[in-house]
Amino acid sequence: MPSMCDFWFLASLTYLLSTLHFLLSRLCPLSTEPVSVVFKVYCLSVMTMVAATYTVVLRYTRTISSTAMYFSTTAVCVTEVIKLFLSLGMLTKEAGSFGRLKASIVEHVFQCPKELLKLSVPSVVYAIQNNMAFIALSNLDAAVYQVTYQLKIPCTALCMVLMLNRSLSRLQWLSVCMLCGGVALVQWKPAEATKVQVEQNPFWGFMAIAIAVFCSGFAGVYFEKVLKSSDTSLWVRNIQMYLSGIVVTLAVVYMTEGTQVIQKGFFYGYTPWVCFAVFLASVGGLYTSVVVKYTDNIMKGFSAAAAIVLSTVASVALFGLQITVNFASGAMLVCISIYLYGLPKQDTTKLPRADKDAKQKLITV
């Protein structure tokens, strides 16, 4: 195992663990104090590190690690379990007491089977998305994956238009076209890694990402629609979704790798690297919630672009990625399009004050 990988593992784990408690205390809406710019930058730096490190670590466990290959379906299931416990912890903090926590769970979980059924839809979709991520990173380099995965932006935009009746500005549509063009450049002749020890199929990797980004867009918009349809707590909704997710992912384990899991064990092939990847996948949603709560789309765009750069640097150092002109041009185009997409819309329905005064003078004359 490369020493650089060991250093990255220890540094990332220490950094993430040290910030987890701090973010937990900030995430619950128990305080209305203003958030400083330093904290926003801090949240984005953590989110960027999580996104970049997750793809690199998962890529390492699927292609470079010399240990026995673990079952990816069990990793997805364990991730759902950890997310459930994290959400329970957040709901406990939000409720303020064990009695209120118990009452909330009984009311919204045990007495609301229809709500559980409603949240089972994104659970199934997210389960497909997470399993597709393993297939994609088994066949594509982490940097190529990071760039191509930004197709989730146009997929989410399309779902928002169709499901939430929202509109996009001309600049956003232009940025979507630019993003698709950048991804096409990257995928035209995918960059190759010289240190990968397994056979890869870039076509299957791209197809897996295509399915994953569609699932990401649909599930995200669907979950947003469910959240805004009632005043139910975000953490209650998460618990409802993760309970369904555990059932769904266990069913996937049984249907796809059930016999092998029974023979070799549920945690067969698990190493510290695999556990770290599962940990990153679990807390990634938590950090995303912080970023969504305290920052804007422009800052999130910078975070996504920074994650692409970090993944590229790590792929060159760890996997021997050979940067091509197509990849560099496509990645640059994607980063620019992400920034343009996040720019705030200009409200053209309201005239500036000076224009209003001028118009009023013309009327009086």
Side-chain angles (χ1 to χ4, degrees):
M1 189 177 296
S3 58
M4 186 178 297
C5 292
D6 292 335
F7 174 77
W8 194 346
F9 171 73
L10 293 175
S12 301
L13 183 60
T14 303
Y15 181 62
L16 291 172
L17 286 176
S18 65
T19 60
L20 185 57
H21 175 72
F22 178 61
L23 290 176
L24 286 175
S25 63
R26 279 279 190 165
L27 191 56
C28 284
L30 298 180
S31 177
T32 58
E33 62 182 19
V35 179
S36 65
V37 176
V38 175
F39 179 73
K40 291 182 179 181
V41 174
Y42 177 77
C43 291
L44 281 172
S45 66
V46 175
M47 185 63 199
T48 302
M49 188 174 183
V50 169
T53 306
Y54 172 70
T55 55
V56 173
V57 171
L58 190 56
R59 171 71 172 172
Y60 177 84
T61 62
R62 303 302 292 179
T63 58
I64 301 295
S65 181
S66 58
T67 58
M69 186 60 66
Y70 61 97
F71 303 115
S72 60
T73 53
T74 63
V76 174
C77 183
V78 174
T79 300
E80 294 297 307
V81 174
I82 296 176
K83 287 180 180 179
L84 175 62
F85 281 104
L86 286 174
S87 296
L88 282 171
M90 297 303 299
L91 183 60
T92 302
K93 185 174 180 61
E94 186 179 77
S97 66
F98 180 77
R100 292 179 181 177
L101 172 66
K102 181 180 177 182
S104 180
I105 292 177
V106 170
E107 177 184 358
H108 295 288
V109 177
F110 294 103
Q111 296 180 355
C112 293
K114 291 183 179 180
E115 295 299 314
L116 287 175
L117 185 61
K118 185 188 298 184
L119 269 299
S120 66
V121 175
S123 298
V124 173
V125 178
Y126 276 130
I128 297 173
Q129 173 196 340
N130 293 332
N131 280 284
M132 288 300 104
F134 282 88
I135 297 176
L137 283 167
S138 298
N139 292 280
L140 293 173
D141 186 81
V144 177
Y145 171 88
Q146 193 73 261
V147 174
T148 310
Y149 191 68
Q150 301 309 315
L151 284 173
K152 66 182 179 181
I153 293 177
C155 287
T156 303
L158 181 61
C159 290
M160 289 171 62
V161 171
L162 297 176
M163 298 172 62
L164 300 179
N165 295 322
R166 294 185 183 174
S167 62
L168 299 181
S169 65
R170 292 181 180 179
L171 183 61
Q172 286 179 316
W173 282 117
L174 174 63
S175 65
V176 166
C177 295
M178 288 178 58
L179 191 147
C180 293
V183 172
L185 279 175
V186 171
Q187 288 294 332
W188 184 260
K189 188 178 180 182
E192 297 180 354
T194 59
K195 299 180 183 179
V196 174
Q197 302 173 358
V198 297
E199 185 178 353
Q200 301 177 102
N201 189 326
F203 174 77
W204 286 116
F206 177 76
M207 293 303 297
I209 290 185
I211 296 173
V213 296
F214 175 78
C215 292
S216 175
F218 172 78
V221 174
Y222 181 94
F223 188 59
E224 179 182 349
K225 191 173 183 178
V226 171
L227 281 177
K228 293 184 177 179
S229 64
S230 68
D231 296 330
T232 306
S233 168
L234 167 66
W235 306 113
V236 170
R237 290 301 191 189
N238 280 340
I239 291 171
Q240 292 171 338
M241 185 169 62
Y242 296 146
L243 283 173
S244 302
I246 292 172
V247 175
V248 171
T249 52
L250 280 175
V252 172
V253 172
Y254 175 77
M255 290 186 294
T256 58
E257 299 170 321
T259 304
Q260 293 180 316
V261 170
I262 293 174
Q263 291 177 351
K264 299 180 179 180
F266 193 87
F267 296 101
Y268 174 78
Y270 274 57
T271 63
W273 281 103
V274 177
C275 295
F276 188 39
V278 171
F279 171 76
L280 289 172
S282 302
V283 301
L286 183 64
Y287 289 121
T288 302
S289 299
V290 178
V291 172
V292 170
K293 183 177 179 64
Y294 292 118
T295 65
D296 54 23
N297 286 327
I298 297 178
M299 298 185 75
K300 285 187 289 184
F302 280 119
S303 176
I308 291 174
V309 174
L310 289 176
S311 298
T312 302
V313 173
S315 295
V316 171
L318 302 178
F319 308 122
L321 178 69
Q322 298 176 342
I323 302 297
T324 62
V325 175
N326 283 355
F327 176 85
S329 303
M332 180 69 69
L333 202 58
V334 168
C335 292
I336 295 173
S337 65
I338 293 173
Y339 170 74
L340 293 177
Y341 185 86
L343 290 177
K345 290 184 180 180
Q346 188 173 14
D347 190 357
T348 57
T349 62
K350 297 181 179 180
L351 291 171
R353 183 67 184 176
D355 292 346
K356 287 184 177 180
D357 294 341
K359 186 175 180 181
Q360 186 64 32
K361 292 180 180 179
L362 288 174
I363 294 174
T364 55
V365 170

